[in-house]
Amino acid sequence: MTVTRALAQLAAEGLVVTRPGAGAFRAEPRTSAPATGDTSWQELALSADTATELVPRAVDASGVLVTLAAPPPGVVEFNGGYLHPSLQPERALAAALARAGRRPGAWGRPPTDGLPELREWFAREIGGGVTAAEILITAGGQSAITTALRALAPPGTPVLVESPTYPGMLAVARAAGLRPVPVPADADGVRPELLEAAFRATGARVFVCQPLFQNPTGAVLAPERRREVVRIARAAGAFVVEDDFARRLVHEDAPPLPAPLAADDPDGVVVHVCSLTKITSPNLRVGALAARGPVLERLRAIQVVDSFFVPRPLQEAALELVGSPAWHRHLRAVCQELKSRRDVLTGAVARRLPELALPHVPYGGYHLWLRLPDTVPEAALLAAALRTGVAAAPGRPYFCAEPPAGHIRLSFAGVAGPTEIAEGVRRLRTALDELTA
């Protein structure tokens, strides 16, 4: 296996060529570098319609890349957006994929809406009378959000978002030519009176929210606000896109979780998004969209045009995983470990970084949201932190308007364990001292 991988790498680099049945041979040396083209014409082509666009569709993926790009070796990864490999169910995933590959028809074309059994499973998980007929299988949560925003809001129109909110959603909205409008949130989620005022002021027809373990604050939408959010959107003739990304990232000490907004929505106000990716592996890109009424057909049409369908082997593997005894063992293990890591990070921040305000300790999700002192520039702290060997996510990309203060987000799921958490906080202390000395 080592030799095979080495040969594949050498072939990819153009140093050898492989000939089936004959062996591997040294490639002919490259005689000259390819001519450098002139791509300057693209600058004009990509910006020619800027004057006529209400919202320029330049794509800023920096807020997403922060959580996707691997830091240099030796850097403590507090900026991760996924479970550390030690928390991922790698053996269960491998076994599920192997079983899936042996299923009859596993490599055949699946239904465009997704496998019926997988749609049934997602419908049961959402609850509240949601049926398999109201489910579309998607290539993860990000793909589902993209489909939802394209279906619900025409280019140039406003879309209401929590402030702060997930940078990946802001990037999707802007890439679609939408104009994100912030609605302030607090420890109990979005503030209903400000949401109602925002609908009146903008005429928006879409509000995107994360009612459970919101990214980045970790807030849970309060029970009385849940009803108000749906009522306000219904009165405005608007949709609520519910991004339920973190339901399975609950901590061991959490109280009973509220049901999804979609579970108590007979009028089809809520378009629900969920995914298996966060709780398993960044490579298991299987999620679901749930919707009621005519909007479901529009969502279906956009998804089919964009991607045809989610690959069947991936759907079959997801079915095998969630139907195995290993699934619930994995959920319990992550539930315990996230609570333990949260406590370690919270305690370390309180002891070593008392200047950083932690307004809310979540009981789900995988990160802490810290406010910086007014005297500490966000960009300068992150740069100093990277020099000391720790990477954190900047707060600026989580705001679609001017942020009220500097923030950083620290993920405790993407690191190796408690020892690395403690070392990362120690390095952050060094970086902070460097700026305040």
Side-chain angles (χ1 to χ4, degrees):
M1 288 297 295
T2 301
V3 171
T4 300
R5 288 172 180 167
L7 286 173
Q9 179 66 32
L10 291 170
E13 294 175 4
L15 299 177
V16 303
V17 291
T18 56
R19 297 170 188 159
F25 303 85
R26 186 177 64 181
E28 292 295 327
R30 295 170 182 163
T31 56
S32 61
T36 303
D38 179 9
T39 60
S40 59
W41 65 272
Q42 293 185 7
E43 187 173 351
L44 178 61
L46 292 173
S47 60
D49 55 355
T50 301
T52 59
E53 283 187 343
L54 292 176
V55 181
R57 284 187 283 176
V59 181
D60 179 8
S62 58
V64 182
L65 290 173
V66 164
T67 61
L68 292 179
V75 172
V76 177
E77 191 175 359
F78 277 152
N79 61 333
Y82 296 101
L83 297 179
H84 188 268
S86 64
L87 297 180
Q88 295 175 22
E90 291 187 351
R91 293 181 62 183
L93 282 167
L97 192 59
R99 292 194 301 271
R102 295 192 296 268
R103 283 189 171 202
W107 291 93
R109 184 176 62 203
T112 54
D113 288 1
L115 296 181
E117 303 91 336
L118 190 57
R119 293 161 63 202
E120 287 277 4
W121 184 84
F122 273 112
R124 289 194 302 271
E125 289 288 298
I126 297 169
V130 174
T131 68
E134 296 163 337
I135 298 288
L136 300 176
I137 300 302
T138 68
Q142 186 76 359
S143 174
I145 292 171
T146 301
T147 298
L149 289 182
R150 287 185 58 202
L152 302 176
T157 59
V159 56
L160 305 185
V161 301
E162 297 167 308
S163 183
T165 192
Y166 167 50
M169 185 275 299
L170 294 177
V172 165
R174 289 171 175 141
L178 305 178
R179 178 166 53 89
V181 177
V183 183
D186 57 25
D188 290 324
V190 69
R191 294 172 56 185
E193 74 280 8
L194 298 181
L195 177 65
E196 192 166 25
F199 272 124
R200 284 197 307 267
T202 65
R205 291 294 178 265
V206 181
F207 169 53
V208 186
C209 64
Q210 296 176 325
L212 190 65
F213 312 137
Q214 197 259 0
N215 182 12
T217 65
V220 176
L221 190 61
E224 62 278 7
R225 293 189 182 185
R226 291 164 54 83
R227 292 185 293 271
E228 276 292 281
V229 164
V230 177
R231 181 194 66 77
I232 290 167
R234 179 70 181 85
F239 289 96
V240 174
V241 177
E242 177 187 26
D243 181 10
D244 199 21
F245 78 103
R247 182 164 295 271
R248 296 173 187 87
L249 297 173
V250 62
H251 300 171
E252 190 178 33
D253 60 347
L257 301 185
L261 297 180
D264 189 25
D265 172 40
D267 297 332
V269 174
V270 179
V271 173
H272 180 87
V273 172
C274 58
S275 169
L276 291 174
T277 306
K278 290 293 187 185
I279 188 59
T280 56
S281 161
N283 292 296
L284 189 65
R285 305 211 67 78
V286 176
L289 271 170
R292 288 179 168 143
V295 70
L296 182 62
E297 184 55 39
R298 184 178 292 187
L299 292 165
R300 178 184 291 117
I302 288 178
Q303 172 159 296
V304 167
V305 168
D306 279 351
S307 57
F308 292 174
F309 47 77
V310 176
R312 182 163 189 155
L314 207 54
Q315 295 190 55
E316 297 279 11
L319 261 178
E320 287 283 352
L321 177 66
V322 300
S324 70
W327 174 243
H328 291 289
R329 289 198 298 269
H330 170 63
L331 293 181
R332 288 194 296 271
V334 172
C335 174
Q336 294 167 359
E337 185 65 21
L338 289 181
K339 189 263 182 186
S340 173
R341 290 171 175 230
R342 180 207 65 195
D343 290 347
V344 170
L345 181 56
T346 302
V349 168
R351 289 190 304 273
R352 286 188 170 270
L353 303 169
E355 306 97 319
L356 307 190
L358 176 60
H360 177 67
V361 178
Y363 54 85
Y366 54 88
H367 52 261
L368 299 182
W369 180 242
L370 300 167
R371 177 169 176 158
L372 304 181
D374 293 338
T375 55
V376 176
E378 181 180 299
L381 175 60
L382 291 168
L386 204 54
R387 288 194 297 272
T388 64
V390 60
R396 180 64 186 87
Y398 292 84
F399 295 90
C400 64
E402 293 77 6
H407 293 81
I408 59 171
R409 197 196 74 162
L410 302 183
S411 168
F412 47 81
V415 294
T419 301
E420 194 167 47
I421 290 174
E423 174 60 18
V425 173
R426 186 194 68 77
R427 295 180 185 183
L428 271 178
R429 176 72 262 171
T430 302
L432 194 60
D433 289 342
E434 176 185 317
L435 293 180
T436 57

